Amino acid sequence: MIVYFAVTFLITWAAWIAAGLIAPDAGGTHGLMRTVLIYVGTFAPGVVAIAMTAIESGRAGVGALFRRLVQTDVAPRWYVFAIGYTFAVKLTMAVVSRVVLGSWPRFSDEPLVLLFAATVFSTIVFGQAGEELGWRGYALPRLASRFGYAWSSLIIGGVWALWHLPLFYIAGADKTGQSFPIWGLSVVALSVAITWLYAHTGGSLLLTMLMHAATNNLGSIVSVATLGATDVWTFRTSPAMMLSLVGLWIPAGWFLMRMPRYATANVAC
């Protein structure tokens, strides 16, 4: 696992740091190169996972990994969980903000139907496969077979958060200047919830991709970003972000206490 994480970080960070050296408003060849580098970094976890699976298990192992991307035979309630989890947390915390703080957080101007459509479309075209093939497809079952799902969800959450770090320094990125510690803790909590989903759907990467896409799209219904933020390592952030953190960790704590202990036999390790 150390080799997998090391190679993934090397490729992603090298690509993203190089992208950060190009101005966000660059056009022509430079603008195209910046976009390509961002995507190279984004898909590195999945590409490295495929390569290492091929080395370890050959074509059969790669085929088994890919089949989990289209594993649809799970109970309908898990589709609802995948789509609605982050959305429900954000809306609940918005209501708490209104009741406790006396004000609503900023809401997205995008129509809800458009955000929902973006979630479904992103899943159908495997938009999250670049990450999910790696974090949940390759790393999670291997870690869970040794440490159990609960500890593995925390380990992957920490790695997953740290992997994003260069984006907090790249001009024009949506995370630029935001509080990395608070955001990182939120990602760890989200990792616990995704592991809960994974463990109850036989390792379906289709469902983890759906939840990942819903988090990126439907979760944006409530904005938690601090406008004009520049201190990446501060623990001071917007009230909405702090409430979101609390809202993610309340169910995450419950999931950790009830998490299945080890990876199931039907998930390729």
Side-chain angles (χ1 to χ4, degrees):
M1 288 310 306
I2 293 176
V3 173
Y4 170 72
F5 289 138
V7 174
T8 298
F9 270 64
L10 177 63
I11 295 173
T12 295
W13 282 24
W16 284 351
I17 291 171
L21 298 176
I22 302 174
D25 57 351
T29 303
H30 287 87
L32 177 61
M33 180 59 69
R34 189 178 196 271
T35 300
V36 170
L37 287 169
I38 292 292
Y39 277 107
V40 167
T42 300
F43 279 84
V47 172
V48 176
I50 294 169
M52 294 193 69
T53 300
I55 293 171
E56 296 167 1
S57 306
R59 183 179 299 177
V62 174
L65 180 61
F66 283 160
R67 282 193 292 275
R68 288 161 60 200
L69 289 173
V70 292
Q71 185 176 326
T72 60
D73 55 339
V74 299
R77 68 179 182 276
W78 294 113
Y79 285 91
V80 175
F81 180 92
I83 293 175
Y85 181 80
T86 306
F87 181 73
V89 168
K90 291 291 185 72
L91 287 186
T92 299
M93 290 305 101
V95 173
V96 171
S97 176
R98 180 67 181 86
V99 173
V100 176
L101 302 179
S103 62
W104 292 102
R106 288 180 294 114
F107 286 90
S108 171
D109 294 328
E110 297 289 344
L112 182 58
V113 65
L114 183 61
L115 296 176
F116 180 82
T119 296
V120 174
F121 178 77
S122 181
T123 304
I124 291 174
V125 301
F126 303 112
Q128 278 64 48
E131 292 189 52
E132 291 305 318
L133 277 170
W135 309 136
R136 258 64 65 169
Y138 183 86
L140 180 56
R142 287 163 175 78
L143 288 172
S145 66
R146 181 176 180 181
F147 301 109
Y149 278 125
W151 279 110
S152 298
S153 68
L154 297 173
I155 294 169
I156 289 179
V159 171
W160 188 22
L162 185 61
W163 175 78
H164 286 86
L165 182 58
L167 295 179
F168 286 75
Y169 292 96
I170 296 177
D174 62 349
K175 298 175 179 63
T176 305
Q178 300 299 310
S179 169
F180 176 75
I182 300 302
W183 182 87
L185 288 171
S186 298
V187 169
V188 175
L190 180 62
S191 175
V192 172
I194 296 180
T195 300
W196 177 262
L197 174 68
Y198 175 100
H200 286 86
T201 58
S204 171
L205 297 184
L206 176 65
L207 269 292
T208 66
M209 284 195 302
L210 180 61
M211 186 166 181
H212 194 151
T215 298
N216 290 346
N217 293 286
L218 289 172
S220 68
I221 188 69
V222 178
S223 177
V224 298
T226 300
L227 297 177
T230 57
D231 188 353
V232 172
W233 295 101
T234 184
F235 281 85
R236 299 181 63 182
T237 186
S238 69
M241 184 66 178
M242 293 303 297
L243 286 172
S244 178
L245 176 65
V246 172
L248 287 168
W249 269 107
I250 290 173
W254 188 85
F255 295 150
L256 285 171
M257 290 188 294
R258 299 178 61 87
M259 192 79 76
R261 189 172 183 187
Y262 294 108
T264 53
N266 66 327
V267 177
C269 294

